[in-house]
Amino acid sequence: MRILLAEDDALIGQGIKTWLKPRGFETDWIKDGAAAYAALPCAPYDAVVLDLGLPSMDGLEVLRRWRRDGRTEPVLILTARDELSERVRGLNTGADDYLVKPFEPEELEARLRALSRRSAGRPTPVIRCGDVVLDQGSRMVESAGRAVPMTAREFRLCEILMSGVGRTIPKDLIEEKMGDLYEDASPNSIEILVHRLRRKLGQGFIKTVHGIGYTVPRD
Ligand code: CA
């Protein structure tokens, strides 16, 4: 998942980024409101974490402009405990959820996963394709009822392909969605991961669409 984080507090921003990275999130962290406003259309974000008190443009104004521009990305706002009216205004302005500072990073992570599932029209964290079941909540994959152990990168690729079942996912979009999990990898890493997933889930599970990318066919 790729997250846009707009937060000017260095400790909170770094804390969020550090927590999310090993859990399969790539976080683009921006500390300024106007820059955050400009950044949203620049990448395929799955969700936004938006602090309300930001330099140069406050969070509510950023949100108002995004919604005016027709941006539909799910937005979670961060507010201080005494900002009840701000919270209400945020929700009225088009925020999808909020967290009151201080919060536990586990809760932020869970809410981001829920927001991204809701926005993808999938209210449950379980995706099924034939015999293969992927649980985004527990991060487990089963094939024909058997648990299949996976590395973080294998799981992420499987999640990307199964989320788009029946569609061909271009290779560059896969790389983009792998985020930080991809950047550490070798040039042919997607091919290698696909090879490993086929060994674990069956040769026919992922089809290569030559020159474009990969697809998990609908059964
Ligand atoms: Ca702030």
Side-chain angles (χ1 to χ4, degrees), residues 48-63:
V48 179
V49 178
L50 178 65
D51 180 35
L52 290 186
L54 288 172
S56 87
M57 187 187 292
D58 82 65
L60 277 179
E61 179 60 17
V62 173
L63 177 59

Side-chain angles (χ1 to χ4, degrees), residues 12-219:
I12 296 175
Q14 193 58 53
I16 291 173
K17 198 171 164 145
T18 304
W19 176 268
L20 291 178
K21 182 169 179 178
R23 292 168 177 83
F25 291 76
E26 185 188 4
T27 306
D28 293 342
W29 176 20
I30 293 180
K31 295 162 189 152
D32 170 275
Y37 167 67
L40 186 60
C42 299
Y45 291 107
D46 297 294
V48 179
V49 178
L50 178 65
D51 180 35
L52 290 186
L54 288 172
S56 87
M57 187 187 292
D58 82 65
L60 277 179
E61 179 60 17
V62 173
L63 177 59
R64 198 185 64 72
R65 291 189 186 199
W66 280 336
R67 294 311 187 218
R68 177 202 66 192
D69 296 346
R71 308 300 315 183
T72 58
E73 287 85 349
V75 173
L76 180 149
I77 53 176
L78 300 177
T79 70
R81 189 162 293 286
D82 54 357
E83 284 176 333
L84 173 67
S85 62
E86 293 284 272
R87 219 140 74 212
V88 172
R89 275 174 59 208
L91 293 169
N92 286 339
T93 306
D96 300 273
D97 199 358
Y98 68 86
L99 264 182
V100 176
K101 296 176 185 177
F103 53 84
E104 294 298 322
E106 289 97 324
E107 182 168 16
L108 177 67
E109 180 194 348
R111 283 171 185 249
L112 287 174
R113 290 192 193 284
L115 278 181
S116 126
R117 282 198 300 275
R118 254 185 271 154
S119 78
R122 283 181 287 102
T124 104
V126 174
I127 311 173
R128 284 167 204 278
C129 301
D131 275 354
V132 179
V133 178
L134 180 144
D135 187 325
Q136 291 176 305
S138 65
R139 303 184 65 72
M140 297 280 292
V141 177
E142 282 186 3
S143 177
R146 250 181 344 103
V148 181
M150 290 209 177
T151 66
R153 291 199 288 143
E154 289 166 1
F155 181 88
R156 180 64 185 130
L157 176 60
C158 201
E159 186 179 30
I160 292 166
L161 293 173
M162 287 177 73
S163 298
V165 63
R167 282 187 287 131
T168 299
I169 316 290
K171 214 173 143 238
D172 52 356
L173 183 62
I174 293 174
E175 291 169 6
E176 179 91 352
K177 283 176 171 275
M178 297 282 290
D180 287 348
L181 289 174
Y182 179 72
E183 278 165 32
D184 311 320
S186 70
N188 295 321
S189 69
I190 301 291
E191 283 88 340
I192 294 164
L193 285 175
V194 165
H195 175 74
R196 287 203 211 125
L197 285 180
R198 282 177 176 148
R199 275 214 316 240
K200 292 183 176 186
L201 300 173
Q203 288 301 319
F205 183 66
I206 299 169
K207 296 232 178 324
T208 302
V209 183
H210 286 288
I212 303 177
Y214 298 97
T215 183
V216 168
R218 264 185 216 287
D219 51 347

Side-chain angles (χ1 to χ4, degrees), residues 7-8 51 53:
E7 169 61 81
D8 61 322
D51 180 35

